[in-house]
Amino acid sequence: MTSKRAMAQLLKHLAGAGITHLPKVNLPKPSRILARQQESREEAAISTSAIPETVSTAAESKPLRPAIRPRLASAETEGRRPSQSGTSKEELLSETGPPDRLPDLQAILSRSYVDAEQKTEALCKVATMVAGCSRCTDLASKRTKTVFGVGSPTAEIMFIGEAPGAEEDAKGEPFVGPAGQLLNKIIDASKLKREDIYICNILRCRPPGNRNPLPQEASNCREFLDAQIHIVQPKYIVCWGTVAAQNLLNKTEAVGKLRGQLFDYNGIKVMCTYHPSYLLRNPAAKKQVWEDMKFFMKHLGVELQ
Ligand code: URA
């Protein structure tokens, strides 16, 4: 394969995994990464066909891990609008607990990733798994694209939102709709660069009608988030909105009660603030978000006015 063609193919593959910016490091020849990805896809195909029950949908699978407390978000401080009907009793009762862990993801979680090359390669593998995921049958059948994550694989700061909306579902990239435009303004005002941050969500598929993620859906998607955090290994995480804050930190309080402090999550400092979609509906809360960003940036040694 010519190096130009290999490079074009690699860039397409990386973009699919949300990696549009790479830090300035000596990356290996594209053909090497592609060859390794081909190998890992073949390995994945072999391992998943050998153990079909381990990749069954949540509804079919028996939980291996103890069931975790369902996490519910309060509509009042939600990033997105509550669904017309809200979460029905049947939906909540249909919970089956966390799904069996994907063996390939377990392998990813058991290794550490030190440089951009290793992190990029691991993120690509996880993005491929996400693209084929159908644990949440409803979401998987309705999605246009999975929305994995975007940004630097070596980012020191990770942003976690709630779930893709219509624009994100169409484009396959988080925070590209109206909430994303507001988020970009917050990033600029905070003297950060979007491409230096790693951005992802609690869910990787759009909930129909932008309803809140169900606890079971968040649980199904959790190991992908865990893998992204494990690979990128950020120093800081910002949780945008109640859904992100409650799910990551396993809390029940709304974001209004969780903001204004830094939490520790496995050695990573976590700040919680209101979701940009909430700000679009309640512009008065921008003041609090700006206070939160000042507080956060101060920890990074940057004084905002
Ligand atoms: N809201 C989110 O929480 N995430 C997105 O990616 C877009 C909107």
Side-chain angles (χ1 to χ4, degrees), residues 80 161-165 168 174-175 201 275:
R80 55 192 54 235
E162 186 177 315
E168 290 79 17
F175 283 104
N201 283 307
H275 192 284

Side-chain angles (χ1 to χ4, degrees), residues 36-57:
R36 267 192 245 148
Q37 273 155 10
Q38 180 61 29
E39 274 166 28
S40 74
R41 262 197 300 275
E42 280 159 13
E43 278 164 23
I46 293 164
S47 59
T48 49
S49 61
I51 337 173
E53 66 272 25
T54 56
V55 286
S56 58
T57 61

Side-chain angles (χ1 to χ4, degrees), residues 6-241:
M7 180 58 81
Q9 214 177 317
L10 173 64
L11 290 176
K12 205 170 143 213
H13 192 88
L14 292 177
I19 297 161
T20 51
H21 298 84
L22 288 170
K24 289 193 186 79
V25 291
N26 290 329
L27 284 172
K29 289 216 165 77
S31 51
R32 249 182 68 202
I33 296 192
L34 287 172
R36 267 192 245 148
Q37 273 155 10
Q38 180 61 29
E39 274 166 28
S40 74
R41 262 197 300 275
E42 280 159 13
E43 278 164 23
I46 293 164
S47 59
T48 49
S49 61
I51 337 173
E53 66 272 25
T54 56
V55 286
S56 58
T57 61
E60 296 159 347
S61 66
K62 288 186 215 84
L64 285 185
R65 289 184 284 167
I68 47 171
R69 181 158 51 91
R71 302 169 182 115
L72 297 173
S74 90
E76 169 215 345
T77 46
E78 263 327 292
R80 55 192 54 235
R81 285 171 207 286
S83 64
Q84 295 274 317
S85 55
T87 303
S88 71
K89 210 158 79 186
E90 288 71 28
E91 282 171 320
L92 285 173
L93 291 175
S94 73
E95 272 196 52
T96 58
D100 292 356
R101 277 194 177 281
L102 293 171
D104 299 329
L105 256 185
Q106 258 176 310
I108 297 242
L109 285 162
S110 67
R111 289 185 43 200
S112 37
Y113 306 89
V114 290
D115 59 26
E117 181 197 342
Q118 293 177 357
K119 286 170 189 255
T120 300
E121 201 177 332
L123 286 171
C124 286
K125 282 186 188 168
V126 183
T128 306
M129 292 178 211
V130 167
C133 179
S134 56
R135 277 176 173 169
C136 309
T137 17
D138 185 34
L139 305 194
S141 67
K142 291 180 183 143
R143 74 185 174 217
T144 311
K145 287 186 176 171
T146 50
V147 179
F148 181 64
V150 73
S152 167
T154 56
E156 295 207 333
I157 303 172
M158 180 179 277
F159 282 2
I160 303 179
E162 186 177 315
E167 288 87 349
E168 290 79 17
D169 172 71
K171 216 173 159 200
E173 189 178 326
F175 283 104
V176 289
Q181 282 161 24
L182 180 53
L183 184 69
N184 288 347
K185 287 187 186 163
I186 298 170
I187 291 172
D188 282 349
S190 305
K191 302 188 182 162
L192 291 168
K193 288 203 175 88
R194 183 168 162 124
E195 60 267 28
D196 292 338
I197 301 165
Y198 188 85
I199 306 176
C200 58
N201 283 307
I202 293 297
L203 295 193
R204 272 130 211 82
C205 296
R206 181 190 182 207
N210 289 357
R211 63 155 169 75
N212 285 339
L214 302 176
Q216 183 63 54
E217 293 164 349
S219 168
N220 288 346
C221 222
R222 181 56 186 253
E223 64 182 327
F224 298 126
L225 176 64
D226 288 343
Q228 284 167 296
I229 295 173
H230 177 72
I231 295 164
V232 176
Q233 206 48 249
K235 292 202 172 99
Y236 298 91
I237 291 178
V238 179
C239 288
W240 296 90

Side-chain angles (χ1 to χ4, degrees), residues 72 77 239 241-263 270-274 292 295:
L72 297 173
T77 46
C239 288
T242 296
V243 168
Q246 288 185 340
N247 275 285
L248 183 78
L249 300 170
N250 200 17
K251 300 271 183 203
T252 50
E253 295 95 332
V255 69
K257 293 262 179 327
L258 299 172
R259 53 180 289 273
Q261 53 187 311
L262 285 181
F263 293 91
V270 180
M271 189 203 60
C272 308
T273 191
Y274 293 112
D292 294 340
F295 164 75

